[in-house]
Amino acid sequence: MAITDISHRKRFLAQGNVYLPHIAVIEKIIEETPGVRTLHFNFKDEKLREEFTFESGQFGECSVFGVGEAPFCISSSPTRRNHLEFAVQRAGRVTNALHRLGVGAEIGFRGPYGNSFPLDLLKGKNLVFVGGGIGLALLRSLIWNVIDNREKYGNIDIIYGARSPADLCFGYDLDAWDKDKAVNMVITVDRGDEGWKGRVGLVPKVLEEVAPSASNAVAIVCGPPIMIRFTFPVLVKLGFTPEQMLTTLEKRMKCGIGKCGRCNIGDLYVCRDGPVFTYAQIKDFISSEY
Ligand code: FES
């Protein structure tokens, strides 16, 4: 199988000034872990709320007024349109400010930007999702999209891990997928604790043990750089070709629209050419740059 064209992108840019954010209101906050929260938000403008569309894999720039803006993938699924979601890990000025906001606070959002997961090319395939930590935020939009259209896809494997039980994000999704008979869900942690009865082991090692078949399959990988780097060789060992492996990157993005030059990996811009890439596209850069 060849996934050759994933460079398509649909953009919803503000008229005139492309840096102008739309005003949105935080409607709900879910504390995923001590350092990660999910924000549910909606646009204030009713027309925009109805007309806004995006695809799984796309991202937007969120701003906290008076502080700054940062890129976040849209972690909710386009099949569930009553609000939008993104997950925020405390890491700097903007993310700390987003952790201080409460329900009802206003934020800015511009986007969606970037390409998306190639749904047409995933149709009829068995899908193997491999995620680590907050990387699941980038996968869950596609996972729910696939589950909501399950007749179009084959088997669904999800292998997800975090450093510790307390670092597992989206526990409500993990529970739902675990109960779903159409999904083979495997959860692992690097280190257990006294209450942990589940699997212990690094994601690449657990992937090798689970050994999903590469036949008519596509693997979609997202997590910390170190996990991504060690996961691809395992997939190769399992028989996946570089075209059968997808990942989505969030690297040093700033403007989100190909202007600032901060997000390059080799000669690719993550914001403009991605954030979804095949391993074939990035394998020459992944060990040195990611
Ligand atoms: S984020 Fe500015 S060029 Fe990609």
Side-chain angles (χ1 to χ4, degrees):
M1 184 211 65
I3 295 178
T4 50
D5 181 16
I6 60 167
S7 62
H8 61 289
R9 55 180 80 88
K10 290 188 179 169
R11 294 185 166 184
F12 188 95
L13 297 174
Q15 294 289 319
N17 185 351
V18 293
Y19 293 105
L20 196 64
H22 300 289
I23 310 295
V25 178
I26 297 173
E27 295 183 336
K28 184 176 172 182
I29 298 170
I30 299 173
E31 304 295 347
E32 305 286 355
T33 72
V36 177
R37 56 174 19 189
T38 294
L39 303 181
H40 294 204
F41 69 99
N42 244 320
F43 296 109
K44 271 185 103 169
D45 184 292
E46 210 168 301
K47 190 161 176 281
L48 180 59
R49 209 152 56 211
E50 277 162 24
E51 290 179 354
F52 183 86
T53 58
F54 71 100
E55 292 174 28
S56 293
Q58 290 193 293
F59 69 98
E61 293 278 346
C62 286
S63 43
V64 180
F65 301 112
V67 179
E69 67 174 3
F72 297 94
C73 71
I74 303 172
S75 65
S76 46
S77 169
T79 53
R80 300 172 179 215
R81 291 174 48 97
N82 56 342
H83 65 268
L84 297 162
E85 298 175 26
F86 64 95
V88 187
Q89 181 164 37
R90 280 180 189 276
R93 255 162 57 90
V94 175
T95 53
N96 274 310
L98 284 165
H99 269 258
R100 287 194 295 271
L101 296 180
V103 171
E106 290 187 357
I107 56 173
F109 181 91
R110 59 184 177 90
Y113 299 134
N115 67 357
S116 56
F117 290 107
L119 292 182
D120 284 351
L121 295 164
L122 299 182
K123 260 183 210 153
K125 305 286 184 232
N126 299 320
L127 302 178
V128 180
F129 294 93
V130 185
I134 195 177
L136 189 58
L138 291 87
L139 297 179
R140 68 188 286 270
S141 173
L142 179 61
I143 293 174
W144 280 118
N145 198 336
V146 164
I147 287 176
D148 289 344
N149 293 283
R150 69 179 59 204
E151 69 287 351
K152 295 182 183 166
Y153 304 94
N155 301 331
I156 303 169
D157 284 282
I158 303 173
I159 296 154
Y160 173 62
R163 277 179 307 183
S164 73
D167 293 310
L168 291 166
C169 294
F170 311 106
Y172 42 96
D173 286 342
L174 301 180
D175 284 348
W177 299 334
D178 200 31
K179 287 188 188 115
D180 189 328
K181 289 191 171 46
V183 175
N184 175 32
M185 174 89 226
V186 178
I187 301 171
T188 183
V189 294
D190 299 353
R191 287 183 316 275
D193 57 25
E194 62 268 21
W196 180 252
K197 305 264 186 300
R199 212 184 252 265
V200 176
L202 300 175
V203 166
K205 187 169 173 292
V206 171
L207 171 67
E208 193 165 2
E209 287 163 11
V210 174
S213 168
S215 173
N216 193 39
V218 177
I220 305 111
V221 180
C222 194
I226 187 87
M227 187 211 89
I228 292 183
R229 201 184 309 162
F230 284 99
T231 294
F232 282 129
V234 173
L235 288 167
V236 170
K237 211 163 147 185
L238 293 172
F240 287 79
T241 65
E243 289 79 17
Q244 278 176 280
M245 301 181 225
L246 297 175
T247 190
T248 170
L249 306 177
E250 274 189 320
K251 195 181 182 218
R252 294 194 301 259
M253 285 198 279
K254 181 72 180 159
C255 70
I257 52 175
K259 302 274 190 210
C260 72
R262 287 184 35 150
C263 66
N264 71 301
I265 293 184
D267 57 0
L268 297 168
Y269 279 0
V270 173
C271 71
R272 190 191 60 195
D273 303 309
V276 178
F277 295 97
T278 63
Y279 183 51
Q281 288 176 291
I282 59 167
K283 66 180 165 47
D284 291 341
F285 316 116
I286 201 128
S287 55
S288 58
E289 297 202 30
Y290 200 75

